[in-house]
Amino acid sequence: MKTTMRFVGKAAAHALLGALVATSITTMVVIEQASAYQPGKLLSKMLDGPLAEVQDILFTARVAGRDHWYVNFGYYSCDYGDGPKRAFGMYPDGVSLRGYGEGCRLCRMNLRSGKLTLLIDDPKGGVRDPQLHYSGKKALFSYRKGESATFHLYEINIDGSNLKQLTFGPDDDIEPTYLPDGGIMFCSSRSHRFVNCWFSRVANLYRCESDGSQIRMISSNNDHDNTPWVLPDGRVLYMRWEYVDRSQVHFHHLWVCNPDGTSQMIWYGNEFGGIAMLDAKPIPGTDKVVASFSPGHGRPEHMGYVTIVDPNGGPDIRNVTRRVSKKNIMYRDPYPVDEHCFLVANSQGILVMDEHGETELIYQLPPKDRHMQCHAPRPIRSRPREPIVRQKVDLSRETGQLVLANIYQGRNMEGVKRGEIKKMLVLQQLPEPVHFSGGMLPISIGGTFTMAEILGTVPVEPDGSAYFEVPALRSLFLVALDEDDLSVKRMQSFVTVQPGEKLSCVGCHEQRSQTAPANHSLLALKRRPRKITPIDDIPDVFDFPRDIQPILDRHCVECHNPDRRDGGVDLCGDHSPMYSNSYQTITARHLVSDGRNQPYGNREPRTIGSSASRLMRLIDGSHHDVQVSATEKKFIRLWIDSSATYPGTYAALGSGMYPPNLPWQMLVDRCATCHGNKPNKGHRGRTLPPQVLQSCCNLTRPEKSLILQAPLAKSAGGLQLCHNVSFKSKSDPGYQATLKAIRVAAAELQAEKRFDMPGFRPKKFYIREMQRFGILPKTLGPNDPVDPYLTDRAYWKSFWHKPVAPQPRTASHERLRQAR
């Protein structure tokens, strides 16, 4: 239906429009404002210049997200915690909380007359991420229709006709971009994973044909890929957020790949933490791009500073960026008309901006509609099709190939002698099917957020080269090993190859502006690619209680237990509120050196991993003649180099953690002399915040808790480690109150179980997601056993690339051929 209305006053127009909207879901409405609209000075200047050939713009209005920049689709993993507090209400499944609001419009506006056309008006739906076709006659966008749950890809003609749904299914498809080969690249939660440090689903790069067919994964990232857009050379620019052994909130920068997913590499900024580089688009007529530099970990709805990036200086040069927006005012969705004119949006509405950051408001929602905000302005015009990059993918293959020219060439490799590196350990970062917090617990204590699978090793030739096959579409990272299999250098990122792809790199963390020597000179290329050699007699995913604790029990616990505590160390496997006594001790005593959650990567050689971990020296025979077997040493070494996690299953997330509700006031009164006036403030270097006090509780044997033993007099059976004896006997009311609190937590743990306890069953949210992803049957009963290790493995295996026969070219390819 098309309705045309002419108004002199805005109020009457908005009133009648509101009445129409209340009764209509998808309606094309035209409002002509005869006298109320006049282009301002800046817009008039642009209409005589860069916008001279542009009559109309396209934009959306929708309810803005109120969580992190990536939470504006989908649902939350659970009904508790910081994330779900920001939910908009119940998800259509009736059991989850949704991360998006309701209400949307797809708008077309004439810049000269102000005529506004609503191509879509859906008071319960959501519309986002429009992009104009090369012809300028239709638009591609993401639309969640009415009260449905998920966003999918749609097309519509710019006159509002021929609305067509392209993708379907239970997952969200967002942020599409037309590809020069006739396909579409977009981000999708079809990757079936959760943010490693939040409660929400992840969207990764996918591609499909123009009709929505032949959907396939492009990126294996554990975390988000965002806002793909084609560069003038035919490659696709996008934002990649990832953290392998480094900070969760600092690295979300600009990457690039070919339209078939090959050649994924950094484009700009991966050395610079603290900025989320979102919504990047090429500036016509230049090599530059404009992006929203969203500060810190990124602001909701991609709000940031409009910034120009010139890539000609290289990917690691700070001064190749120039902020355009002024006065610390943030915008979103910058669209470059040219280097002097940008369309932007913020909570005010749609604005035009010049190269000096001067802005002018050109459209604002009426007051009654300001529960929504404007997004994604685009000029309606044709544009040249970028060149087609030759396809390098062979979907009939299971693997790809990696070529390393010289492992000794790169940044921060000083001190590594040629010939020192003998092989590389190949690891796979494993996606999470669910998450329940903003942290990594209980995967590690301040370290990694994810588990890693050990695939095996590949040799490094004497000249530093390597050539080997790797499984396609996996997030792989490498550790350079010496002749003793100890870590020399660790890759704090990941690499992905497409099926049939051969991907090469110069060296180890090399400058992207460097090139490799001629291939014929590399020793590794004088033979066929190596296969990854599996490592015998080890688990491919380590589980600390199952695989490492028995070694400690055999060699360490005799001297390091709750009663003896030689050196102040307890390495027994008793459960603490969140981990085990031994795992906490190893972390607190810095016996393992990992990447930690720190805002930098590319550590110096031998400063991370097994070669830098004191635990390896404590088991080599020099520590009181403790000498573990070769197999035991291999277990500990590979556990460290595979990220030193506590659990070996993601079913541990959000379960089995019971911090006691300790008698805090009593502890303050008794302990303030040495440990401060409050539980979280202290002096003389002996502060004991609540989490530290709770970690001193033993839920397996409550009476052995350090919080009880340390201040208890020796005459009463305690350790009397405190300067002042706080508990002279076990009958002390403070002792009894503390013991009671620990016993309550211990009883809860015994009832609910932890992943390493007999009878453990994953929590309902883990089971729900595994059912949603098709891993566990929908018919699973409430008391049916679930093996979390087998379930995790089936989940990870569901992402493995399955070779397929060559696909027939679709009608879209024929149309593209004819068009060209």
Side-chain angles (χ1 to χ4, degrees):
M1 180 177 70
K2 177 177 179 179
T3 305
T4 302
M5 297 178 280
R6 299 178 184 275
F7 298 100
V8 174
K10 288 185 179 180
H14 292 149
L16 188 52
L17 178 58
L20 182 61
V21 168
T23 60
S24 178
I25 292 180
T26 304
T27 306
M28 194 178 80
V29 182
V30 180
I31 303 174
E32 295 184 34
Q33 296 172 319
S35 61
Y37 175 86
Q38 289 292 331
K41 182 178 179 180
L42 182 58
L43 178 57
S44 296
K45 176 183 175 181
M46 297 300 179
L47 290 174
D48 291 334
L51 290 170
E53 304 299 320
V54 177
Q55 298 297 317
D56 294 2
I57 62 171
L58 190 72
F59 65 92
T60 68
R62 60 179 172 85
V63 177
R66 55 194 183 200
D67 200 334
H68 292 304
W69 51 269
Y70 48 84
V71 185
N72 47 27
F73 70 91
Y75 56 89
Y76 289 97
S77 61
C78 59
D79 53 11
Y80 62 87
D82 291 339
K85 290 178 182 177
R86 309 173 198 186
F88 284 92
M90 190 62 68
Y91 193 65
D93 65 0
V95 296
S96 308
L97 296 172
R98 55 185 166 88
Y100 58 81
E102 295 180 332
C104 70
R105 292 173 183 169
L106 180 62
C107 307
R108 175 180 175 179
M109 177 184 169
N110 186 283
L111 294 176
R112 290 164 175 79
S113 69
K115 182 177 73 173
L116 185 70
T117 304
L118 303 186
L119 305 183
I120 291 177
D121 193 359
D122 189 339
K124 291 290 186 179
V127 66
R128 51 180 295 167
D129 315 320
Q131 191 193 49
L132 272 295
H133 187 261
Y134 296 103
S135 67
K137 296 179 180 180
K138 63 180 179 178
L140 174 68
F141 60 100
S142 182
Y143 181 28
R144 184 187 54 77
K145 202 169 186 178
E147 296 182 348
S148 61
T150 49
F151 286 90
H152 290 112
L153 305 189
Y154 284 75
E155 276 186 326
I156 193 171
N157 292 339
I158 60 169
D159 63 2
S161 64
N162 197 27
L163 176 67
K164 180 171 60 176
Q165 184 172 350
L166 303 179
T167 60
F168 302 83
D171 303 301
D172 289 279
D173 302 324
I174 60 174
E175 299 175 346
T177 186
Y178 286 112
L179 297 174
D181 63 10
I184 296 168
M185 190 172 288
F186 59 101
C187 297
S188 179
S189 64
R190 297 169 187 265
S191 55
H192 292 174
R193 57 199 65 184
F194 274 72
V195 174
N196 298 332
C197 62
W198 205 238
F199 305 78
S200 56
R201 290 277 293 273
V202 163
N204 296 120
L205 290 182
Y206 279 71
R207 70 160 289 160
C208 65
E209 299 306 324
S210 62
D211 58 2
S213 64
Q214 298 184 32
I215 295 174
R216 70 176 180 89
M217 176 183 273
I218 293 295
S219 168
S220 62
N221 193 358
N222 266 28
D223 279 291
H224 280 276
D225 307 307
N226 280 94
T227 54
W229 205 275
V230 181
L231 289 169
D233 63 7
R235 295 180 299 165
V236 179
L237 183 69
Y238 63 100
M239 191 285 298
R240 172 166 131 174
W241 175 30
E242 47 111 330
Y243 40 103
V244 178
D245 300 330
R246 57 180 181 169
S247 169
Q248 76 201 85
V249 296
H250 281 78
F251 299 97
H252 5 53
H253 300 114
L254 298 178
W255 287 66
V256 71
C257 70
N258 293 330
D260 64 357
T262 57
S263 297
Q264 295 180 24
M265 66 182 69
I266 185 65
W267 192 83
Y268 180 75
N270 200 41
E271 292 292 306
F272 312 137
I275 300 173
M277 301 177 182
L278 298 157
D279 294 304
K281 303 174 188 67
I283 300 175
T286 76
D287 295 329
K288 304 172 184 177
V289 304
V290 66
S292 171
F293 274 32
S294 195
H297 183 36
R299 303 297 171 84
E301 292 294 355
H302 302 187
M303 293 293 289
Y305 304 116
V306 178
T307 303
I308 292 175
V309 182
D310 184 347
N312 292 315
D316 304 316
I317 307 300
R318 286 185 182 272
N319 62 10
V320 301
T321 67
R322 180 178 72 85
R323 183 186 295 186
V324 178
S325 50
K326 298 172 62 177
K327 300 177 181 177
N328 291 327
I329 301 174
M330 288 189 285
Y331 303 88
R332 59 173 165 262
D333 306 327
Y335 189 99
V337 179
D338 68 6
E339 201 169 1
H340 310 288
C341 178
F342 308 91
L343 299 173
V344 298
N346 65 12
S347 58
Q348 286 183 284
I350 303 297
L351 303 94
V352 63
M353 175 184 290
D354 69 12
E355 72 270 30
H356 305 297
E358 299 293 340
T359 61
E360 182 177 287
L361 186 66
I362 60 178
Y363 176 76
Q364 186 174 36
L365 287 165
K368 68 177 185 58
D369 294 326
R370 289 181 190 165
H371 62 288
M372 298 187 292
Q373 294 184 19
C374 294
H375 299 254
R378 320 284 196 232
I380 298 178
R381 63 178 180 182
S382 62
R383 55 192 176 91
R385 190 184 296 267
E386 302 86 3
I388 296 177
V389 178
R390 182 177 64 86
Q391 183 166 306
K392 303 175 185 177
V393 167
D394 181 356
L395 298 179
S396 67
R397 300 285 301 276
E398 289 185 352
T399 63
Q401 298 174 0
L402 285 176
V403 179
L404 172 63
N406 183 2
I407 199 168
Y408 302 104
Q409 181 175 344
R411 291 172 288 192
N412 226 358
M413 291 294 288
E414 292 80 6
V416 181
K417 298 178 181 179
R418 185 168 294 275
E420 184 176 344
I421 297 172
K422 303 300 184 182
K423 64 181 73 168
M424 289 186 291
L425 180 66
V426 184
L427 301 138
Q428 174 186 344
Q429 190 184 32
L430 297 170
E432 293 187 3
V434 71
H435 202 88
F436 304 106
S437 75
M440 72 287 291
L441 57 87
I443 302 300
S444 73
I445 305 175
T448 182
F449 285 76
T450 60
M451 300 186 302
E453 179 181 1
I454 298 171
L455 300 185
T457 62
V458 293
V460 174
E461 304 295 339
D463 66 348
S465 64
Y467 178 32
F468 53 102
E469 278 194 339
V470 294
L473 285 170
R474 313 274 189 96
S475 295
L476 306 175
F477 62 106
L478 309 172
V479 182
L481 304 176
D482 64 13
E483 62 183 357
D484 297 318
D485 289 336
L486 294 174
S487 62
V488 177
K489 186 77 172 180
R490 188 176 179 90
M491 180 180 176
Q492 293 181 267
S493 183
F494 73 88
V495 62
T496 298
V497 298
Q498 299 294 312
E501 179 184 7
K502 180 184 286 188
L503 182 67
S504 63
C505 60
V506 174
C508 190
H509 295 271
E510 81 282 1
Q511 295 278 358
R512 281 292 177 180
S513 56
Q514 296 176 342
T515 57
N519 285 345
H520 62 76
S521 67
L522 301 181
L523 291 177
L525 292 180
K526 296 182 183 300
R527 56 172 59 89
R528 295 178 62 82
R530 305 273 195 169
K531 303 284 187 181
I532 297 174
T533 302
I535 301 174
D536 295 332
D537 305 322
I538 65 157
D540 51 4
V541 179
F542 273 92
D543 183 284
F544 182 88
R546 181 193 66 201
D547 304 318
I548 304 301
Q549 187 60 51
I551 302 174
L552 303 179
D553 290 342
R554 287 190 289 270
H555 299 281
C556 309
V557 170
E558 181 180 355
C559 298
H560 303 293
N561 59 67
D563 294 320
R564 185 167 172 178
R565 291 184 59 85
D566 283 10
V569 171
D570 178 4
L571 291 176
C572 82
D574 288 358
H575 288 126
S576 67
M578 294 188 181
Y579 301 91
S580 68
N581 287 6
S582 54
Y583 189 83
Q584 287 188 168
T585 298
I586 288 171
T587 302
R589 295 288 178 135
H590 307 291
L591 301 185
V592 167
S593 176
D594 57 18
R596 299 283 85 193
N597 189 20
Q598 297 295 323
Y600 50 85
N602 192 14
R603 308 289 184 101
E604 294 179 357
R606 298 189 181 276
T607 59
I608 183 174
S610 54
S611 62
S613 296
R614 193 155 61 97
L615 183 58
M616 293 299 298
R617 296 191 293 277
L618 294 174
I619 59 173
D620 65 2
S622 61
H623 176 69
H624 299 290
D625 298 322
V626 172
Q627 184 72 56
V628 301
S629 70
T631 298
E632 291 171 327
K633 184 177 182 179
K634 180 167 65 172
F635 265 54
I636 292 176
R637 172 177 56 80
L638 289 170
W639 169 70
I640 293 171
D641 283 334
S642 60
S643 303
T645 60
Y646 176 51
T649 170
Y650 284 134
L653 291 163
S655 66
M657 296 178 283
Y658 295 96
N661 184 20
L662 296 170
W664 301 113
Q665 189 57 53
M666 182 278 298
L667 293 171
V668 169
D669 294 341
R670 299 285 185 95
C671 307
T673 302
C674 294
H675 301 295
N677 296 323
K678 295 182 179 180
N680 61 346
K681 290 185 179 180
H683 56 81
R684 289 191 270 178
R686 290 193 289 263
T687 180
L688 290 181
Q691 62 269 27
V692 173
L693 291 172
Q694 289 169 331
S695 71
C696 296
C697 299
N698 187 323
L699 302 194
T700 302
R701 294 177 286 174
E703 294 82 358
K704 300 296 184 181
S705 297
L706 183 60
I707 196 173
L708 295 173
Q709 293 286 81
L712 180 64
K714 287 186 177 180
S715 60
L719 298 174
Q720 197 172 327
L721 299 177
C722 293
H723 180 70
N724 296 320
V725 176
S726 297
F727 304 141
K728 294 182 179 180
S729 71
K730 293 181 180 180
S731 61
D732 185 293
Y735 178 98
Q736 288 297 319
T738 304
L739 177 60
K740 179 179 179 181
I742 298 170
R743 282 175 171 168
V744 169
E748 292 175 327
L749 176 59
Q750 285 299 319
E752 298 298 328
K753 311 297 182 187
R754 188 174 291 178
F755 69 93
D756 60 334
M757 298 170 66
F760 169 75
R761 193 174 195 269
K763 67 188 305 179
K764 64 179 182 180
F765 303 112
Y766 171 94
I767 290 174
R768 184 185 72 193
E769 295 309 313
M770 287 300 197
Q771 290 175 317
R772 197 191 300 264
F773 299 154
I775 308 302
L776 290 175
K778 298 283 188 181
T779 56
L780 188 73
N783 298 315
D784 291 345
V786 175
D787 185 320
Y789 298 93
L790 293 180
T791 304
D792 275 0
R793 190 165 299 279
Y795 165 73
W796 298 325
K797 192 173 182 178
S798 71
F799 303 116
W800 292 6
H801 171 66
K802 301 173 181 61
V804 295
Q807 295 290 318
R809 304 295 276 177
T810 65
S812 67
H813 295 87
E814 179 61 23
R815 288 195 298 272
L816 175 61
R817 186 189 66 79
Q818 294 175 356
R820 295 180 63 84

